[in-house]
Amino acid sequence: MTIQTILDLLQAELLTPDARLDTQVHTACGSDMMSDVLAYVKDQAVLLTGLNNPQVVRTADMMDMVCIVFVRGKRPSPEVVQLAAQRGIAVLATGHTMFSACGMLYAAGLRGSGSHV
């Protein structure tokens, strides 16, 4: 799945216009607790979150993620978007809840690293 596909599936808005939308992603996770992302997430390419601060970008960068999706209509500050863009991380925003957004991506074939279905 590409970032463009995620953008389309979630009816999201692209907040980093220079992002590479053809980047392939195979896994995702959803969390508002960055400590859980650091402790439990392995090889995830997309982070879905409602947490809106620079720590989200720093965590995604540390975990080599390529895309952050802000859910529940959250809109990151321009500073957060700029930080992500500097690190080559695409930033999307969707009005869907985290549960719905994760479900839509799962139904379209995106999995977490622990999924064996």
Side-chain angles (χ1 to χ4, degrees), residues 44-98:
Q44 305 292 339
V46 179
L47 172 62
L48 291 92
T49 188
L51 186 63
N52 187 353
N53 64 42
Q55 190 61 27
V56 172
V57 176
R58 291 186 187 98
T59 301
D61 187 41
M62 286 175 53
M63 303 304 287
D64 295 323
M65 294 179 164
V66 296
C67 182
I68 300 169
V69 179
F70 288 93
V71 296
R72 299 190 303 268
K74 300 286 181 96
R75 299 203 44 100
S77 69
E79 294 79 20
V80 169
V81 173
Q82 181 180 16
L83 184 63
Q86 290 170 349
R87 286 165 169 72
I89 300 171
V91 177
L92 313 180
T94 183
H96 293 289
T97 64
M98 189 182 315

Side-chain angles (χ1 to χ4, degrees), residues 5-116:
T5 303
I6 293 169
L7 182 70
D8 295 340
L9 285 170
L10 298 182
Q11 302 164 337
E13 179 182 354
L14 178 65
L15 302 180
T16 49
D18 294 332
R20 296 208 43 213
L21 300 181
D22 60 343
T23 300
Q24 288 287 326
V25 296
H26 304 286
T27 56
C29 72
S31 182
D32 285 344
M33 295 184 63
M34 295 303 102
S35 59
D36 281 353
V37 174
L38 289 170
Y40 301 111
V41 171
K42 302 287 187 262
D43 302 321
Q44 305 292 339
V46 179
L47 172 62
L48 291 92
T49 188
L51 186 63
N52 187 353
N53 64 42
Q55 190 61 27
V56 172
V57 176
R58 291 186 187 98
T59 301
D61 187 41
M62 286 175 53
M63 303 304 287
D64 295 323
M65 294 179 164
V66 296
C67 182
I68 300 169
V69 179
F70 288 93
V71 296
R72 299 190 303 268
K74 300 286 181 96
R75 299 203 44 100
S77 69
E79 294 79 20
V80 169
V81 173
Q82 181 180 16
L83 184 63
Q86 290 170 349
R87 286 165 169 72
I89 300 171
V91 177
L92 313 180
T94 183
H96 293 289
T97 64
M98 189 182 315
F99 180 82
S100 294
C102 289
M104 294 164 83
L105 295 177
Y106 187 88
L110 199 58
R111 298 291 186 259
S113 64
S115 298
H116 301 290

